Every structure is written in C-alpha cells, then in structure tokens.
Amino acid sequence: MSSPHICLACRRTVNQIRPASVVQWRSRATFISLSNKKPRRSTAREPRGNQLDLAEELEKGDSGSTARLPRRKPSQSRTTDPGDVLESLFEKTIHPSSLPKDEEPQEFQSALEPYQRVHELNMMMENEAPFPDQWAFFLEHFGPAAQLARGRDRISMPSYLGSTINLMWKAIVEAKEKNHPLPESLPSTTEISRVFMELGYLNGQDWIDMVSHPLRYILKMRNGELRDPETEKRLTEDLIGAWNIACRDIGQLTRFHDKDSPSYWMTLPSISMVDAAHAHQKRGSQDVFALLVPSFKLSSLKHFPMIALATFGLLSERSVDIEGLSTDASPLLTVLSRIISVPGLDLNNIHSPYSMSNFAELSEYVKDNWPAIRERATTMSQYHHPQVDKAKAERMSRASVQIRVSHINRRLHEAYTTRNLRRVDEIWSDVSQWPVDTSGVEGPPAEQGKMSLALANYLILVYMSLRQPNRAIDVWNHMVNNGLTPTLRTWDSMMSGCVAGKDAKALQQVWTKMRKSQVVPDVICWATIVGGLITCRKADAGVAALDEMGRIWIEAARKKYPKMDQPQLQLMTGVEGAVKPSIEVVNAAIGGLFKNNLPNAAYKVLTWAGKFGIAPDVNTYNTILGSLIREGRSKEAMALLQRMLKTGVQPDSYTFTTILDETFRSIEGLTPEEITAIVQGVFSEMKLAGVKPTIQIYGKIIRQLLSNDGASVDMATINAVVDTMHEQGIDANAHIYTMLLEQHFAQVPPNINAVRNIIERASNTQGGTDEIFWDRAIEGYARNNETGPAMRILGKVQASKGKVGWTAMRLLLLALVENQEWDLARTLVNNAVIDSGAPVPVEGQGFERQLNWEFWRLARNFGLVEQGPELKAQYLKETPKRG
C-alpha cells in the first residue's frame, strides 16, 4: 500500500467544502476526500438470498436513522414461554445445517469445534483418562503451538476453558502428591508454568500452589524423611525452572531461552540493593518481595514471601549439589538475596500461613532457620553477578528514553480524556522532532525514544476524536515522509477517532476512501465501521455495512464453491480474498443497537449471524442479558443464562455483575440471613463457573447492601462479603473502605470502634486510602464532636503533603468551636492561611471559591480571622512556619 503526501491545495479545497471538520486528500492511495457528496455506487450484485434480507427487514421494522424511527420500548407481554424465544435465537448456530458429503471440503471446521473440544476434555477428566493423555489433548488443541499453527497472532487461554484447565492441573499436582513427586509421564511445574505464561493465564496464587509441591518434597529430603538423590536433583531443577518462568521483567514475558543458553537468566527483573531498600521503605516487609515477580498482581502474593525465603534457604544450604545441576541457580540466588538482606526486613511482618495449609511446613522451616538464611543472603547480596548486573546495565542505559516515551503516552492519554487540544498540539510538537521507527512494529518501538507506529496511530485517533482532521493529516504525512507506512491499524485509528467524536459523516468518508484505496479491511476494521455507525445513530448505515460484509464474503466463497447452495455456502471457512463475518463484528452491531433502544433490529442481526454459523460468545450473551435485565424481563434473562451454560459458554465477571443487578432488585423485605445466603449463592455459582470475583464486583455488592439508614443494615452480611474477599486474596480499595467508614459513622449511635478498625486496616493496605477517605474520616469525627482523632488525621495528611477538603475543614472548625477548643481552632485557621493564603475580598469570590469561603466566613464570625489583602503577610510574619 503506497501512502503519498497530502498537499496543501487539497486541504484548502477541504476547508471550502467543510471547514474545520472535513479533509480532502490526494487520490492515489490515501484519501481523495472526506466530504465526497456523491452517492456510493455498488457493483452489480446477484439477487439477495436469505442472508441479505437484513437491511430491507430493518427498513420495514425498527432500524434506520433515529429521525425516521421513534424510540419505543418493546412490549412486555408475551404469549410464548420466555425461554423459547431466546433459545430459538441461536438455533441455527448451535445446530447448523449439515453439508452434503460430496461437497464437504476437507478444511471445513465447525464454529463450535473449540467448545466441543472442551467437552471432550471434560469427558476425559470425568472418565479418569490418564493425566498424560489429558495434558497432551489440551496442548494439541489449545496450547501455544496449536494456536500459532492456526495463524493466531495473539495466543491466549480461552475464557470457556479456564475452569476446566484449572481442575486439570490441580488434579495433576494431587497425583504427584499421592504417587511419585515427579514422574516422567506428567508435566513438570516448569512446563505448566511456561505454557500458562505463554497463554497469559499464569497468576500468582496458582504459581505459588504449583511451586509449593517441589519445595515441600525437597524439604522432606533435606530432613531425611525421603531419600532419593536423583529425584531430589530433578525436583531442584524443576523448582529453578519454575522460578525462571515467573521471576522475569515485564518486557521479558514472552522470551524463553534454553536452560543451557547464556541468556537463560537475562529475563530476570533488574533489582539492586538500592531498589530493594526503597521498595521496602514504601511497601514494607511483605510487599517488597513483589519486586521479584512484577507480572503478578500484588493481591495474589499472600504466601509468596515464604515461598521465596524457603527457595533461597534450601538452594543456598547446599543440601543439594548445586554445582552438579544442569541449570545455574546463582543468578536467581543473587536476586533473591538482594531482597532478603534488605535492612529492616522483619519476619514477624511477613504473612504466616495457617497450620493446616500446604505452606505451614515451609513457614516453620523459614522461622527455624531465619538467622542463617538472613546471614547467607547478606553475604551473597554483595556479590557482583555478571548476568544479573549486565541485564540491569543494558536496561538502565535506555532508562531515560523509556521514561520519556512513557511520559509522552501518559500526557497524551490525559489530554485525550480531558479533550485538551492545546496539550495535544504541544505533545505533537515534541514527538514530531523525534526520529521515526520505520520497523512497522505495531507494539512498542524496536528502539526506545523513537516515534513508533503505535504512537502515531494514537495521535491520529486523538485528533480525529477532537474533530481536527487537518492535524491528523499532519501526523499521517509525517509518517509517510519518514518512511513509516500506515497500516490497517492506522486506518482503524482514523475511524475510531471519528466514532469517539460522534462524527458519522467523517467515518463514512474515511471508510469510502479506504475501500477505494484497495485496502482490504480486517475484522477489526469491519467491527469499527459497523459498530461505529450504529453508535453515531446511523443504524441503517451500520446494518448496511454488515450486510455488505456478508455479501462480499458470499461472492468470494461462490468462486471457490460454485455449485454449493447458499445455506451451505454460508457455513464454509477458509475462503481467501474476503473476511467472513465474525462474532466480533456481530457483537459490535448488537451492542450499538441495544444502546440505541433498537432490540428488534439486534435480534434480526443475531438471526442473520446464525445463518453464517457464527456462535455467540460470552460478550454476546452479556449484551443481551444486560438489555433484558434493564427492561425488567428477569425470566427471559435467566432462561438465556441457562441456555448460555448449556451451550458451553462460560460466564465471566461481567455476567455475574449483571446478575447481581437483578438480584438486588428483589432483596427488599428479606431477612439478613436470607440476603447473606443469596450473596453466598452468587459466589458459589461464580466459583463453579471458574470466575473469580473482581474488586469491582465486591464494591458493587457492598454498595448495594448499604443503605442510607444506618440502623437498617445488617453488618454481618457485609462482613461476610469482606471476609470472602480476603479469603480470595483481594484487598479492599479506598472506595470500599470509604463506604464502610461512612456506614459506621451513619449508624445510631455511631460505631466509633468499627471506624477505628476500618482506618487501621485501610492504612495498612496498599491503595486502601485516598484524599476522599481521609476527608470522610475527618467529617465523620467532626460531626460527632470527636475532635481529637480528626485533628490527628488532619496532621498526618498535611505532614504527607496531602490536601484536606474545605467541607472537612469547615466541619472540624465548627466542632472545635462547639467544644470550646479555641486554641486548636486558631491553629487550624492559622495553618489554613499559611497553606492557602488569606481569604479573598467578598466582592472577589466566585463559584469555584464557594466551599473555601464558607470556611473563612465561619472563621470570621468567630473572630478567628479578619478580612483584608494584608492578612496573609501578617500571619506569615507572626506565625512560625510549620515543619
């Protein structure tokens, strides 16, 4: 695809046609005009078959532009069973028409094959097939190599497979526990970890559970409970290999080297003694260990410090001949030692597992040998290891430009979300001076500090979203002039910007120009144009684009299978020259239609999709489920959920969030015990479905359970939710702690002891507090005339350079005055003058000063402050500056 420069003359033409929002470009391979008013001409097409009736049906029904179609809610009355209508929705998808044997091609593959493979794997597990066969089946159909062989650019663990593979690997570990600790026939911890890491499925808690198995057996052999030197050696190598998979920098997650390679440990995170000391000072003894595994979420690392300490202790004891291993463990030990030897690291502040857990014996070993482990770590941390420090030096040499690129991305995102055009122009002025990375890599640039394709695409998207097409053209021309060829992602960024700016006309013009430039759109581009037009309230045009996609694919398929009937033709795959309609495009269409209150059109799209053998995925079900629940059609929603489970589509966290919305509509009048049972039932369903509740789900549950009347809330139910959250290794965030804090203050009488507990827990949780949390704490104490705790919190916030809101300041001042604590009141006002300056004159106040003026008015009424421009200077002179 060639991409010539866009000339100034063409831009002037654009301004004459459509100033400031439309652009006209030169003709060859880029845009001719974004304001082309000529109607689109379609090539001669064959008579429409069943799959092409959609647009006409919508014109007769409830689609089309919003000007022609009144917004109306679907009828609530139904004569048929609510489940029947929705189950029939995907009838052709779940039971597609069979092809004649004489015309069925070898490459034909049902769209439901992945689900069928999961079912087969489940049956193998139920029938207790040998574990090697189960693992081999999983790798053959879902492993990284299998996905790459099918041409997938990005490999991942399918969501519907998660619960199944979770049960399988745990059963494999259990089999090792019962029989031989590391049989040749079963996958090692290293192998499972690597496969899961490549699929993006490896998480901290699962990895910890896997690694605890070889660690405990090595400990048993060290204590003389078992004697098998060969197995001990293999277990040690497996342990080291598992650490090589998990203990790696963020940028090294997909780079795997052979254990004999000199680069085997080049993936280690860059950790110096200074890094470890700074992290310990900020995070504490428990969380400093997270430096070793930056790809894992902090909330999943509850038992990780004990795993790290036990690993270092056992490997550094030399109970196993480390030098005789095929893998060099010294780089790993060096990195571990730099964490363990941090000054001030306190074993008492590190989480100790329960006595009945799998980690208890490892914890006891660490406690019994802590002085020796610490001493060995202190000695080893002083060593300079070539592999570890070379990797750090190479990365640090690029640190300045990495920070530079990261800073630009953050600034651009902030400017985009705040729609700050001036800031975007400043960023573009800086970036346009950078050298250009011409490698064409879609992700981060091959060489840091260069303008990458991804950054250029994002700039184009931002400018188009702000309706500044001329500036987007500047970025495009800069790319072309510097040898950076625009790709499909560049076109998609241009269209996505139009969608974000709700500019349907520009979106259609970009799409038209893209098609005239002989650029073949991919699934992403089709989804953008279809969903984008519908989002911009051009439902008829969006559906027509979807119809066009199906027609183009049918024409290409007919060239390959000229004698095949159309219903069978629609189910074919492997047709070159066109992109077959997919669930991603269908989801984009129905999502926009439901949002625009056009449910009938959405159902027709689904019927059309079924004729192409397109299987609904979890996003499809979630979209329909959300629409049904919003309309109060709970019976149909539950019927759809059952259909979802029957067809093998696993629910995700969003599914259960939607269900929770429906659940909390009907809890009025229930007892606390009944409400607790319902909530625990939802958690049980999520566990059975292999879905882990997110912090957002917990926040939604707690918010729904709380009410304005503090006395009506049963805190036992809320505490049960919080306990479940902690059991799952999820820490509450500042939002949840703030809700709980407000609830305890709202009770009659206020539960001050519970307030203290919440403040203590939030303070000891990373991300547990923010400015709003502390404002609500001060306000709550002040309303109850508890000025002592409020003043202590105020002092801590101000000492940490934080800011307290004016409402909290006003309520605290009022409480101090009511308690006749005049000295503290004067101190509060004096400090406010030092921090914020004197109050402005009455005639100078504006809306933005309303809250702070209430504080100053109150202070003036009590004789604590005077009005006048010289006030700040007076107080600065007479009042000593606070430290």
Side-chain angles (χ1 to χ4, degrees):
M1 177 179 69
S2 62
S3 301
H5 182 82
I6 304 167
C7 68
L8 181 61
C10 290
R11 300 193 197 196
R12 291 174 178 169
T13 304
V14 169
N15 291 331
Q16 294 172 2
I17 298 174
R18 186 183 176 199
S21 61
V22 185
V23 289
Q24 181 174 347
W25 296 356
R26 291 181 62 179
S27 61
R28 282 175 286 173
T30 53
F31 296 81
I32 296 177
S33 174
L34 290 188
S35 59
N36 186 3
K37 301 182 183 300
K38 295 180 180 180
R40 276 178 75 179
R41 296 180 180 179
S42 59
T43 56
R45 60 178 72 176
E46 299 178 14
R48 291 175 176 258
N50 290 335
Q51 87 285 359
L52 300 177
D53 293 337
L54 179 61
E56 293 177 355
E57 290 176 3
L58 291 175
E59 289 172 4
K60 297 173 184 177
D62 63 344
S63 71
S65 64
T66 53
R68 290 186 289 129
L69 291 172
R71 295 173 60 87
R72 62 180 185 276
K73 292 186 177 180
S75 173
Q76 298 289 330
S77 61
R78 292 180 179 268
T79 57
T80 59
D81 179 54
D84 294 341
V85 177
L86 293 169
E87 288 186 12
S88 65
L89 198 62
F90 300 125
E91 190 63 30
K92 287 186 177 293
T93 300
I94 308 305
H95 304 291
S97 304
S98 59
L99 295 174
K101 293 183 179 180
D102 57 343
E103 292 200 20
E104 183 174 357
Q106 294 182 354
E107 69 270 19
F108 174 75
Q109 183 182 23
S110 170
L112 292 179
E113 182 178 356
Y115 300 95
Q116 295 167 354
R117 297 302 184 195
V118 174
H119 177 70
E120 291 177 33
L121 182 57
N122 281 322
M123 293 304 299
M124 292 177 68
M125 295 169 62
E126 290 180 12
N127 297 329
E128 299 183 352
F131 289 117
D133 293 349
Q134 295 181 27
W135 181 253
F137 184 90
F138 162 69
L139 292 181
E140 179 184 354
H141 297 287
F142 301 102
Q147 295 192 35
L148 289 173
R150 290 196 292 269
R152 296 192 61 174
D153 296 330
R154 297 180 63 183
I155 60 177
S156 62
M157 180 79 77
S159 59
Y160 50 81
L161 180 62
S163 58
T164 299
I165 195 61
N166 223 29
L167 294 174
M168 187 178 73
W169 77 256
K170 290 180 179 178
I172 290 174
V173 173
E174 186 178 347
K176 293 179 182 179
E177 296 278 0
K178 293 180 179 178
N179 303 300
H180 192 280
L182 191 58
E184 296 282 355
S185 57
L186 293 182
S188 64
T189 302
T190 302
E191 182 182 356
I192 297 176
S193 298
R194 173 166 176 170
V195 170
F196 282 13
M197 178 67 84
E198 289 188 78
L199 294 175
Y201 188 70
L202 188 63
N203 63 74
Q205 186 57 56
D206 288 350
W207 183 84
I208 291 169
D209 290 340
M210 293 179 200
V211 170
S212 69
H213 167 73
L215 261 178
R216 284 184 283 111
Y217 269 91
I218 293 172
L219 180 59
K220 289 179 181 180
M221 294 177 180
R222 177 252 190 197
N223 294 337
E225 300 175 37
L226 299 171
R227 292 193 179 278
D228 187 344
E230 181 60 29
T231 299
E232 183 178 8
K233 179 180 177 181
R234 292 178 54 231
L235 283 170
T236 304
E237 291 182 337
D238 188 26
L239 173 65
I240 295 171
W243 270 97
N244 177 265
I245 300 299
C247 185
R248 52 181 56 216
D249 241 337
I250 291 295
Q252 308 291 322
L253 299 182
T254 59
R255 299 178 182 178
F256 301 96
H257 305 286
D258 187 80
K259 62 182 180 180
D260 299 324
S261 169
S263 303
Y264 186 64
W265 290 110
M266 292 296 288
T267 57
L268 283 171
S270 304
I271 304 173
S272 67
M273 291 292 295
V274 175
D275 296 333
H278 286 170
H280 178 261
Q281 186 177 9
K282 290 182 64 177
R283 303 181 181 181
S285 297
Q286 170 78 18
D287 293 344
V288 67
F289 284 86
L291 289 178
L292 296 165
V293 283
S295 65
F296 292 158
K297 292 182 178 179
L298 187 63
S299 59
S300 68
L301 301 179
K302 188 175 183 180
H303 300 295
F304 179 72
M306 282 299 173
I307 292 291
L309 291 169
T311 298
F312 179 84
L314 292 172
L315 293 183
S316 61
E317 272 185 349
R318 295 296 194 269
S319 60
V320 175
D321 183 12
I322 298 293
E323 284 76 12
L325 299 175
S326 61
T327 305
D328 179 17
S330 59
L332 173 64
L333 293 175
T334 299
V335 173
L336 288 171
S337 70
R338 293 178 180 178
I339 299 294
I340 300 171
S341 63
V342 166
L345 188 73
D346 189 352
L347 186 62
N348 294 324
N349 292 332
I350 294 176
H351 174 76
S352 295
Y354 300 114
S355 58
M356 300 299 292
S357 72
N358 289 335
F359 309 99
E361 51 193 312
L362 298 175
S363 178
E364 289 301 318
Y365 161 75
V366 171
K367 291 178 181 178
D368 293 343
N369 296 273
W370 173 241
I373 291 174
R374 176 85 166 172
E375 182 181 355
R376 291 197 299 273
T378 302
T379 302
M380 193 173 296
S381 65
Q382 307 301 321
Y383 297 159
H384 170 80
H385 198 287
Q387 280 185 287
V388 175
D389 296 320
K390 180 182 178 183
K392 180 175 179 62
E394 289 178 352
R395 292 171 198 156
M396 289 301 293
S397 67
R398 299 192 298 268
S400 61
V401 291
Q402 288 175 343
I403 293 172
R404 185 183 178 194
V405 173
S406 175
H407 179 61
I408 286 291
N409 287 336
R410 184 170 64 253
R411 287 175 58 202
L412 184 58
H413 179 69
E414 291 173 355
Y416 172 52
T417 54
T418 58
R419 304 189 67 78
N420 189 334
L421 178 59
R422 184 176 61 83
R423 178 64 58 84
V424 178
D425 286 339
E426 292 173 356
I427 294 171
W428 168 234
S429 178
D430 291 340
V431 172
S432 62
Q433 305 302 316
W434 291 8
V436 176
D437 175 19
T438 57
S439 64
V441 177
E442 296 284 356
E447 296 183 40
Q448 297 291 342
K450 290 187 173 183
M451 176 180 168
S452 66
L453 180 61
L455 180 56
N457 290 346
Y458 193 28
L459 279 163
I460 288 175
L461 185 151
V462 171
Y463 273 133
M464 293 301 291
S465 71
L466 297 175
R467 297 202 173 201
Q468 299 295 323
N470 283 333
R471 289 178 170 90
I473 295 171
D474 287 337
V475 181
W476 183 291
N477 282 341
H478 185 78
M479 293 169 60
V480 174
N481 293 337
N482 288 275
L484 182 57
T485 304
T487 65
L488 279 172
R489 298 287 69 79
T490 312
W491 287 98
D492 186 69
S493 297
M494 183 78 70
M495 292 190 294
S496 297
C498 296
V499 176
K502 297 295 190 293
D503 193 344
K505 187 173 183 180
L507 175 62
Q508 290 174 306
Q509 291 161 352
V510 173
W511 175 256
T512 301
K513 180 54 195 170
M514 178 182 175
R515 302 293 286 140
K516 289 182 177 179
S517 299
Q518 305 300 313
V519 178
V520 179
D522 59 4
V523 170
I524 297 175
C525 291
W526 278 110
T528 300
I529 185 62
V530 172
L533 286 171
I534 297 174
T535 299
C536 294
R537 299 189 177 277
K538 293 289 185 180
D540 51 353
V543 171
L546 180 63
D547 181 69
E548 179 189 14
M549 183 184 187
R551 177 180 55 78
I552 292 173
W553 188 86
I554 285 290
E555 291 173 355
R558 184 164 286 119
K559 293 178 182 179
K560 186 173 183 180
Y561 307 108
K563 297 181 180 180
M564 189 174 290
D565 293 338
Q566 185 158 296
Q568 298 166 355
L569 193 66
Q570 290 172 293
L571 299 175
M572 303 306 300
T573 59
V575 175
E576 297 180 357
V579 178
K580 186 175 182 180
S582 68
I583 192 61
E584 292 81 7
V585 185
V586 172
N587 287 342
I590 66 170
L593 291 170
F594 276 120
K595 286 180 181 178
N596 287 341
N597 199 27
L598 298 171
N600 292 342
Y603 293 139
K604 291 175 183 178
V605 168
L606 290 168
T607 303
W608 176 86
K611 297 173 183 178
F612 281 89
I614 300 174
D617 64 4
V618 65
N619 295 322
T620 316
Y621 282 104
N622 286 344
T623 301
I624 305 173
L625 200 62
S627 174
L628 294 175
I629 288 180
R630 283 193 299 272
E631 295 170 8
R633 296 156 63 183
S634 58
K635 290 184 179 180
E636 291 172 87
M638 294 304 105
L640 183 64
L641 181 62
Q642 292 299 318
R643 182 65 175 175
M644 178 181 184
L645 296 173
K646 288 179 183 178
T647 56
V649 178
Q650 290 294 327
D652 60 9
S653 59
Y654 182 82
T655 310
F656 286 96
T657 301
T658 307
I659 294 172
L660 284 168
D661 287 336
E662 172 61 23
T663 301
F664 285 111
R665 291 177 191 270
S666 55
I667 65 172
E668 186 176 355
L670 299 180
T671 65
E673 292 76 15
E674 290 172 330
I675 295 173
T676 301
I678 290 173
V679 173
Q680 292 298 338
V682 174
F683 285 140
S684 298
E685 291 293 332
M686 295 182 73
K687 185 175 182 181
L688 290 174
V691 177
K692 291 185 178 180
T694 62
I695 190 67
Q696 290 77 18
I697 289 181
Y698 283 114
K700 176 182 282 289
I701 292 174
I702 293 172
R703 184 173 63 253
Q704 294 279 11
L705 289 174
L706 295 174
S707 70
N708 294 328
D709 182 5
S712 67
V713 178
D714 181 71
M715 291 305 297
T717 303
I718 297 174
N719 290 335
V721 174
V722 175
D723 291 340
T724 302
M725 183 168 60
H726 288 311
E727 289 172 5
Q728 301 249 344
I730 299 177
D731 293 325
N733 56 19
H735 176 62
I736 291 177
Y737 279 127
T738 301
M739 289 192 293
L740 297 176
L741 186 74
E742 291 178 319
Q743 179 60 34
H744 291 308
F745 274 128
Q747 290 180 330
V748 182
N751 192 339
I752 300 300
N753 287 331
V755 166
R756 293 193 189 100
N757 291 334
I758 289 295
I759 291 176
E760 182 180 357
R761 290 173 63 178
S763 300
N764 294 326
T765 302
Q766 185 175 9
T769 63
D770 58 10
E771 290 184 354
I772 296 176
F773 175 85
W774 293 122
D775 277 2
R776 298 299 176 268
I778 293 174
E779 291 166 12
Y781 275 128
R783 286 190 176 99
N784 291 279
N785 288 333
E786 294 278 350
T787 56
M791 287 296 289
R792 286 194 292 272
I793 292 173
L794 176 65
K796 289 181 180 180
V797 173
Q798 291 179 335
S800 62
K801 308 301 181 184
K803 185 173 178 58
V804 175
W806 287 108
T807 299
M809 294 281 286
R810 180 177 61 81
L811 291 174
L812 180 53
L813 177 59
L814 188 61
L816 290 170
V817 171
E818 289 180 358
N819 289 351
Q820 298 295 306
E821 298 175 276
W822 292 103
D823 290 340
L824 288 177
R826 290 188 184 90
T827 300
L828 179 67
V829 174
N830 292 348
N831 290 342
V833 172
I834 295 172
D835 291 338
S836 305
V840 297
V842 176
E843 61 273 11
Q845 62 176 309
F847 177 76
E848 71 280 0
R849 299 179 181 271
Q850 183 176 358
L851 290 177
N852 85 18
W853 185 255
E854 289 295 321
F855 172 84
W856 294 119
R857 183 184 61 80
L858 191 64
R860 189 172 61 253
N861 290 344
F862 290 126
L864 299 173
V865 71
E866 296 179 0
Q867 184 68 52
E870 71 286 349
L871 188 60
K872 180 177 180 180
Q874 175 185 335
Y875 270 90
L876 289 176
K877 180 179 180 180
E878 298 178 358
T879 307
K881 189 174 182 180
R882 290 182 295 143

